[in-house]
Amino acid sequence: MPEATETRPAGLTAAIALCATGIVAGLLGPQLLAGSGGDGALATWTTVFVSIIVQALPFLALGVALSAAVTAFIPASVWQKALPRHPVAAVPVGVAAGALLPGCECASVPVADRLIRQGVTPAAAVAFLLSAPAINPAVIVSTAVAFPGRPGMVLARVAASAVTALIVGWCWTRWTDTAWPSVAARASAEGSRWERFRLTAQHDLFQGGGFLILGAALSATLNVAIPASWVQSAAAVPVLSALLMGLLAVVLCICSEADAFVAASLSTFPPSAQLAFMVVGPAVDLKLIAMQAGTFGRSFVLRTAPLAFVIAILTSLLAGSLVS
């Protein structure tokens, strides 16, 4: 119990600090632009920033609540029984399990960790790790709302994310014996299920809210500060624009329940680049890299992150070409 008393407040403090940083960024953004773009630029910045926050926040809250419920109330043993023993056959089932369960990136890492500890084949856990935050029901609905009248974007996101999770999972069927990190037992002091639900939801809401505000502020700034000719030049080259949006997703670390609204606001970029932002983010971003390194080890990240990034870009380009 003493360990829980020390760890939980520290995580909550970090999440609150991140949220506060995001709020400060949102407040300072228009002040930095006020002197360079006049009232028109300030009005545009405010409109984009507020619209992203207002549209995305309900889906973020819903995703956090559902993710916390899954983490607190569904035992990992359920998935151990449902998944086939053979790794190659288990990977598609892991992808499908991720599609059925709402969960953000932050929740998918500890869930995957528990699955492995309870005997689930690591390749299937990796597939679940990548698919759960990318193609769950909450993300599908938020993407449909962010891209009204464009069901092709929703289908393209689901397809590209599922294929990315499938390929990376199958790659891990070949690497598991030599590269999978040792899984040492860790002390557990989780308390009651309702307490776990409260703490998980509280932490993820502060952390996800902070990243959402940062992402909205940066998106609004990009819309105002970057000359349209630059954006059009980059957008004219599909591969370059997809790489730029993919790298932006890695840096911004926006929650998957809200990233579609940021991608939709960057409407100058082609569909393939917008898809790259939505497919790369839930699979590879800075916070995920840190969490995965701490949970599974550095060798896991060195293999998984570059592979997932490249496959996500390629699948986004392919899917984007079909909906353009």
Side-chain angles (χ1 to χ4, degrees), residues 45-291:
W45 192 99
T46 304
T47 300
V48 174
F49 176 79
V50 173
S51 64
I52 293 174
I53 297 296
V54 169
Q55 290 182 85
L57 193 56
F59 292 99
L60 175 63
L62 175 63
V64 165
L66 292 175
S67 173
V70 168
T71 301
F73 299 115
I74 299 182
S77 57
V78 171
W79 314 120
Q80 179 187 1
K81 295 176 182 177
L83 291 170
R85 288 289 181 180
H86 195 283
V88 175
V91 168
V93 180
V95 174
L100 296 175
L101 291 177
C104 67
E105 300 92 317
C106 300
S108 65
V109 174
V111 172
D113 183 36
R114 285 198 300 274
L115 288 173
I116 296 168
R117 292 172 186 279
Q118 295 198 2
V120 171
T121 178
V126 171
F128 173 86
L129 176 71
L130 297 178
S131 67
I135 58 176
N136 68 65
V139 170
I140 292 173
V141 172
S142 68
T143 306
V145 173
F147 293 91
R150 299 176 64 185
M153 287 295 287
V154 181
L155 294 175
R157 178 179 191 175
V158 171
S161 297
V163 171
T164 298
L166 196 63
I167 293 176
V168 176
W170 276 335
C171 286
W172 269 103
T173 63
R174 303 300 299 268
W175 294 339
T176 299
D177 293 338
T178 59
W180 191 261
S182 59
V183 181
R186 285 200 294 263
S188 176
E190 296 181 322
S192 69
R193 290 181 176 181
W194 282 107
E195 181 69 4
R196 294 201 302 273
F197 174 86
R198 183 185 68 82
L199 290 171
T200 301
Q202 183 175 256
H203 176 274
D204 289 353
L205 184 60
F206 276 113
Q207 179 167 276
F211 281 119
L212 172 60
I213 295 170
L214 284 171
L218 182 54
S219 177
T221 303
L222 290 174
N223 273 278
V224 174
I226 297 180
S229 59
W230 293 11
V231 177
Q232 291 169 358
S233 298
V237 184
V239 175
L240 176 60
S241 61
L243 284 172
L244 289 176
M245 289 287 276
L247 291 172
L248 188 63
V250 172
V251 174
L252 288 186
C253 307
I254 301 175
C255 183
S256 58
E257 281 87 5
D259 61 2
F261 297 96
V262 176
S265 72
L266 300 171
S267 56
T268 308
F269 286 89
S272 57
Q274 293 175 308
L275 284 170
F277 185 86
M278 295 185 291
V279 176
V280 170
V284 187
D285 65 29
L286 293 180
K287 76 174 184 297
L288 269 177
I289 289 173
M291 292 179 66

